[in-house]
Amino acid sequence: MLYEAILPSLDVNPPIVICGPTASGKTALGLRVAERLPTPAEIISVDSRQIYRRLDIGTAKPDANERGRVRHHLIGVIDPDETFSAARFARFARQVTARLQSAGVTPIYVGGSGLYFSALLDGIFADEEGHDGRRQPLLDRIESEGVAALHAELAEVDPLSAQRISVNDEVRIVRALEVALDGGSGRIRRWESDPGEILPGPTPVQVCLAMERQALYTRIDDRVHQMIASGWVQEVESLRCQGLDTQAPGLNSLGYAEVIAALNGSISMVDAVDSIQRRTRQLAKRQITWFRRDRRLRTLRVDRLTADQAAQRIVAEWSSRATGFDLVEEGAVRVDRGV
């Protein structure tokens, strides 16, 4: 094939970003791209829930077969009772990236956690360890309630900061709330002036998966049913039998509270499934809004392409960037700005 004959000319090949809303097919596409690149490639998960051990089915982790096809990183690396932050994730991911690139391996970042992508690619304030405990609940609330709810709270406790911070600026809203809840008034200016670390090396090839909204919602509903059929309820029951506190940070992951409530008899399993589907659709809507604001992302309409065509477009873009020339040979996939 054309791609196998390409020899990258850069000292470090550009990484690849594959992001998008939940259930849009990121995992499957990441695998296809990794297997088609002319260099070795490994996947770095950018998912705030898959980072937890033992939370497998409900977080839609790649299964054993998928992880056997391509090596994955940052999946199942902390226990469900541990707190985690976007800044800590970014440090981990940069360390993995450096190891891969030094070995000639292309990193492929795959996931739907917008804040984690922002921390990795653009930097985020890495506060002293003592503040991670306050920050993470606020970040969890962004996922469960949406950023508008936190901005409204900021308007109550610190109206001046709320006026000058956009309602969509998750990072600064969280920082301002931390300061306000700590009783501070001036530190936010110092925090905003510190961009933190950013990802070194060449700019990644960045794509965001998209499809018609109703088709995505149908995929979400079907996936929730599949998770239940695959043993999600048994997974949660096993966690409880192992003594895991139902208030553990990991169990804040979407859907686990509903499954626990169904196991406790508080709601029916039918109602639990309905709630999980509804909240997952809401999450997808917020993810779409987040990624739409990033003009560096090129939209890839995966409902208009076969899986192979989608992978080929990303590989063609990567090959063009890595070699420093456009692919014009017969059989190459032309990548236009209308991807």
Side-chain angles (χ1 to χ4, degrees):
M1 292 181 63
L2 171 67
Y3 306 117
E4 295 172 348
I6 294 175
L7 295 177
S9 59
L10 298 178
D11 291 337
V12 176
N13 293 317
I16 296 173
V17 166
I18 299 176
C19 64
T22 185
S24 59
K26 299 182 296 294
T27 297
L29 183 57
L31 289 167
R32 286 180 180 270
V33 170
E35 292 171 336
R36 285 161 174 74
L37 286 176
T39 67
E42 296 180 10
I43 291 172
I44 298 176
S45 171
V46 186
D47 189 293
S48 63
R49 304 293 100 181
Q50 292 182 0
I51 201 83
Y52 289 105
R53 301 185 186 102
R54 296 184 283 159
L55 275 60
D56 301 327
I57 297 173
T59 62
K61 285 180 184 174
D63 61 29
N65 175 64
E66 291 168 328
R67 294 169 70 176
R69 287 166 55 188
V70 176
R71 187 179 182 188
H72 287 64
H73 301 269
L74 300 187
I75 289 181
V77 297
I78 65 170
D79 289 325
D81 58 358
E82 294 183 61
T83 58
F84 204 68
S85 68
R88 187 179 175 193
F89 165 81
R91 290 195 295 270
F92 282 14
R94 282 192 291 267
Q95 291 168 4
V96 174
T97 297
R99 291 200 303 269
L100 295 183
Q101 291 181 327
S102 66
V105 177
T106 298
I108 303 178
Y109 308 109
V110 178
S113 295
L115 187 62
Y116 278 28
F117 271 116
S118 179
L120 173 64
L121 300 175
D122 302 321
I124 189 170
F125 183 82
D127 200 3
E128 56 268 23
E129 291 297 323
H131 289 274
D132 279 351
R134 181 179 292 280
R135 178 174 304 155
Q136 193 57 43
L138 295 173
L139 299 179
D140 290 340
R141 287 182 56 196
I142 287 180
E143 290 198 17
S144 62
E145 303 174 32
V147 66
L150 270 71
H151 191 273
E153 180 176 334
L154 179 63
E156 293 181 2
V157 299
D158 188 351
L160 290 178
S161 291
Q163 288 178 6
R164 61 189 181 83
I165 297 176
S166 166
V167 70
N168 295 317
D169 193 338
E170 284 93 344
V171 173
R172 284 181 171 80
I173 290 171
V174 168
R175 291 175 183 171
L177 273 175
E178 286 180 306
V179 172
L181 295 174
D182 279 340
S185 58
R187 283 190 300 154
I188 188 65
R189 293 182 176 83
R190 176 176 61 84
W191 287 13
E192 289 178 343
S193 68
D194 185 347
E197 297 181 74
I198 61 173
L199 187 70
T203 301
V205 172
Q206 303 184 55
V207 299
C208 180
L209 309 193
M211 64 178 62
E212 192 273 327
R213 188 70 62 91
Q214 191 54 53
L216 176 64
Y217 289 170
T218 298
R219 286 171 62 97
I220 288 171
D221 291 349
D222 290 345
R223 190 172 75 170
V224 173
H225 284 301
Q226 182 58 45
M227 287 175 170
I228 296 296
S230 297
W232 191 3
V233 175
Q234 291 77 11
E235 175 179 278
V236 175
E237 181 62 31
S238 175
L239 291 169
R240 294 205 307 175
C241 290
Q242 295 169 33
L244 181 64
D245 188 335
T246 57
Q247 300 302 311
L251 292 183
N252 287 331
S253 303
L254 194 153
Y256 280 85
E258 285 87 347
V259 174
I260 291 171
L263 286 171
N264 291 338
S266 302
I267 59 174
S268 70
M269 187 56 68
V270 171
D271 288 341
V273 169
D274 286 345
S275 177
I276 294 169
Q277 290 172 328
R278 174 178 51 80
R279 292 183 60 216
T280 306
R281 293 193 295 268
Q282 293 170 346
L283 169 63
K285 185 177 180 180
R286 292 195 298 272
Q287 290 172 314
I288 291 169
T289 299
W290 177 295
F291 291 126
R292 186 175 287 162
R293 295 200 307 268
D294 192 336
R295 299 182 64 83
R296 297 168 299 183
L297 294 171
R298 297 176 59 182
T299 301
L300 187 66
R301 285 297 300 261
V302 290
D303 54 348
R304 299 175 182 173
L305 301 166
T306 67
D308 282 334
Q309 287 172 336
Q312 287 170 351
R313 289 204 175 191
I314 295 173
V315 171
E317 172 73 2
W318 180 93
S319 298
S320 176
R321 290 272 305 281
T323 58
F325 61 84
D326 293 329
L327 297 179
V328 295
E329 291 90 345
E330 183 179 357
V333 179
R334 184 172 65 87
V335 179
D336 55 43
R337 302 314 293 182
V339 154

